[in-house]
Amino acid sequence: MRRRSALFLGVDGGGTKTHFALVDDEGSLVASCEGPGSYHIELGMEGMRTVLANGLDALFAQAGVDGGAVANAFFGLPAYGEDGAAQNVLDAMPHALLGHHRYRCGNDMVCAWAGSLAGEDGINIVAGTGSIAYGQRKGRAARAGGWGEAFSDEGSAYWIAAQGLNLFTRMSDGRLPRGPLYAAVRAAFDLDTDLDLCAKLADARARERIAALSQLVARAAQEGDPSAIGIFENAARELVCIVEAVRRALEFAAGESVPLSYSGGVFNAGDLILHPLRRHIDALSATYDLRAPMLAPALGAALYAASIAGRPLSPAAIGRLAAL
């Protein structure tokens, strides 16, 4: 009689999208789906609960199971751990959705780390809407960055977009020569006059809308705009500073290899961000081992759920997930 596979649930929350994945202990992806962002600071707790409930309903319907079939789950949630009062509410929320306590909540940075390095000791740098680094070494964990877009999140999509918008104002004023970025912003916002940009952005309360403008900066850089290229150069430098803070906190020994991976939409720019990132990393230490991410964060969350349940997936199972 065939053994029934254990199911592990991974939820990777984010400001823009939330990803759900259900995997079994043999490394098969049983079901997956995507929902809107789950940033409780913008949605409120009830709005976030709705996002999670709808996503789980769709996931379980696809798999033909209910929450009771989940052996363990990990919910990686944006801004988790940054507000003690909110954390109590977040910790309790999955119980009503799953019908049991076989889960753990944490910051979504854990999903990215667990996916990119398949749970191996090392560091992951996230550059999505925001930016943050997280790592583990010999049972210890550390993070750096992730303080929010108002005064931090250096190197993130929001930060890149804000730098790009600042460049536009300088180009408009004549403080800088007008390059491809100037025309790109005018076209994107259909501006009759440059100052109309103020009104166009006046209702841009959602940070995701600002962050999405980082794609304009990337296109301008790819078209050779030196100021836009400089933004990505500075973004890479800032991201490496965040990584280095985690390396020091984890006390990697001199000469010890430091596995390092990455995740988040900023890295969709490819070599535009990866080339300067490698250069700044190599200038700090030759012991960094920069690797492409092995698994998506939602799969990393499921992998982590299995690990914290004391039932880690085998290398063969992880290999099957990586081959998806």
Side-chain angles (χ1 to χ4, degrees), residues 25-27 118 294-295 303 311-323:
D25 55 4
E26 297 176 344
M294 184 176 292
L295 301 173
L303 188 69
R311 305 167 71 174
L313 269 61
S314 68
I318 293 172
R320 280 190 282 275
L321 284 175

Side-chain angles (χ1 to χ4, degrees), residues 20 67 69 105 122 191 216 242 265 287 309:
F20 302 80
C105 295
L191 299 178
L216 294 180
I242 299 171
T287 63

Side-chain angles (χ1 to χ4, degrees), residues 7 29 35 42 54 69 159 221 228 230 239 241 291 319 324:
L7 298 179
L29 178 61
E42 288 188 350
N54 290 343
W159 185 91
L239 294 174
C241 287
R291 308 175 183 180
L324 292 174

Side-chain angles (χ1 to χ4, degrees), residues 8 21 32 46 67 80 138-139 160 172 194-195 213 231 233 282 315:
F8 299 101
S32 65
E46 186 56 32
Y80 181 94
K138 298 182 178 180
I160 289 169
S172 178
D194 290 355
L195 281 173
L213 299 178
I231 289 176
E233 176 75 24
D282 290 344

Side-chain angles (χ1 to χ4, degrees), residues 284-299:
L284 278 174
S285 172
T287 63
Y288 278 113
D289 175 16
L290 184 63
R291 308 175 183 180
M294 184 176 292
L295 301 173
L299 295 178

